Structure formats: structure tokens, C-alpha cells
Amino acid sequence: MMKYLTLVEEVKMKKSDLLHLVILFNNFLQVYLLEPLARELNITPSQLTCLRYLYLHSGVKLNQVAEGLKVSCGAASRLLDRLEEKGLLTRKIDEHDRRVQQLILTSEGKAIAEKSMGLMKEKFSALLDKFSTDEHIVFEEFLTMFLQKSLDDPEIVKEMCLRCGDLHKPDCLGNVIFKKLVGKELKG
């Protein structure tokens, strides 16, 4: 911990430098966790994100995928076409409305989604192993405090929701904050 404090003292960080650091951290997570994993699984990061969403929300429709991934219906459709071409997704005609298709992962698509989530947890855990227990606690407490103090608009909380679907946790910090703001649970 002393090495970190010395580094901060040397840099004498300004608020604009802190913003730069936060953006750098966000990019690090993409480059360290998501992109190598997608390459290893022979899919794009967007396809990997879509597979995770479909895994957590079985039988959804195109517009739900677009909303969940925060992309247009056209972009979601192209993404789903590529997953279908790779044999990771099937489309089932809705029994009640033939114009509607339910999107269902194949067994291979489910296996890749499960493997990716497991590998991501392992890789992040290995990264945290580089830190002491005290540093880990400080990091977690800071992130929690930052989100608690920053999230005061229910619409922003809804937008940042991870869309955990079947793995929804009532004690998720986003859910706890949303419930505090509007009096009901946030389900994604």
C-alpha cells in the first residue's frame, strides 16, 4: 500500500488526471478480460456480450436483445445472424405470433457462454490475487462508495444495469440503489 501512496504523491493528480485514470481502467478491463477471451473463443467481443445476454435471458425476442445490449434492432439482427451462422443460436417461431421469433442458444452456444463467464471470473480472480487483502477491501469499498454517492438518478441506474436476467441478485448494488430511489426492485 505504501508504494501506491508514494506514486500518488509524486503524480499529484488533478481531477482531469483522475478522469483519465478511470477511462484507462475501463479500457484495461476490456483489453485484459473481454477481448482476449473473445479471441480465444473465436468470436468478437460483441458476440460474446450477446451470448451472455442470451444465456441469461432465454427465449427473448430481437427487440429485447437490442434493448439489453443498447444497440439498434438492425445491429442486433446482424449480430444474431452471425451467431446463428456459427451454430450458436437458433430461432424458433413463436406459437402465438408467426412474425415473432424466439432466440435460443444451441448447446454449443450455452457451452461457450458458460465457459466465457467462468474464464472471466478466473482471470479477474487471478488479477485480484496480485493485491493484498487490505488493498482488495479498499478497492471494493471505494467502488461501492463511488457508486452509492454517484447514482442518484433512477434512469442512469437502469441504463447501467448489467441485465443479469436469471442470475439477478436482489443484493446487487445497482438494485439496492434503485430500490432506495424508487421503492421497487430493478430487474434486468
Side-chain angles (χ1 to χ4, degrees), residues 72-181:
S72 69
C73 283
S77 181
R78 289 186 296 278
L79 188 55
L80 294 167
D81 288 344
R82 290 185 194 104
L83 290 174
E84 188 174 28
E85 289 167 9
K86 291 178 180 262
L88 305 176
L89 166 76
T90 60
R91 298 172 197 241
K92 179 182 170 195
I93 302 293
D94 189 294
E95 296 172 1
H96 306 292
D97 186 348
R98 294 183 46 79
R99 297 170 297 171
V100 177
Q101 296 177 339
Q102 290 182 324
L103 306 165
I104 301 166
L105 290 179
T106 63
S107 57
E108 186 181 357
K110 285 179 187 174
I112 288 176
E114 289 169 356
K115 181 178 180 180
S116 71
M117 290 189 290
L119 289 172
M120 195 174 292
K121 284 180 186 176
E122 284 176 24
K123 196 163 185 180
F124 189 70
S125 180
L127 181 63
L128 290 179
D129 287 345
K130 296 178 179 182
F131 298 90
S132 71
T133 302
D134 287 345
E135 290 169 332
H136 182 192
I137 291 168
V138 167
F139 181 64
E140 184 176 354
E141 287 176 348
F142 174 75
L143 289 176
T144 301
M145 179 184 61
F146 182 86
L147 291 172
Q148 286 174 331
K149 289 185 178 227
S150 302
L151 294 173
D152 56 4
D153 180 344
E155 289 305 312
I156 292 175
V157 178
K158 278 200 281 189
E159 282 298 311
M160 61 157 270
C161 175
L162 297 175
R163 313 284 192 270
C164 295
D166 296 340
L167 297 180
H168 172 74
K169 297 177 181 181
D171 62 343
C172 164
L173 185 58
N175 187 54
V176 170
I177 292 169
F178 188 80
K179 193 172 184 178
K180 181 180 166 191
L181 292 171

Side-chain angles (χ1 to χ4, degrees), residues 36-55:
L37 184 57
R39 274 193 305 276
E40 180 181 330
L41 298 170
N42 199 29
I43 57 177
T44 67
S46 297
Q47 290 169 347
L48 182 57
T49 302
C50 186
L51 274 178
R52 178 187 181 275
Y53 184 84
L54 291 168
Y55 180 81

Side-chain angles (χ1 to χ4, degrees), residues 16-34:
S16 62
D17 293 333
L18 184 57
L19 175 60
H20 179 82
L21 189 60
V22 169
I23 294 168
L24 191 63
F25 179 74
N26 181 54
N27 285 349
F28 167 75
L29 292 177
Q30 290 289 320
V31 170
Y32 181 79
L33 292 175
L34 189 61

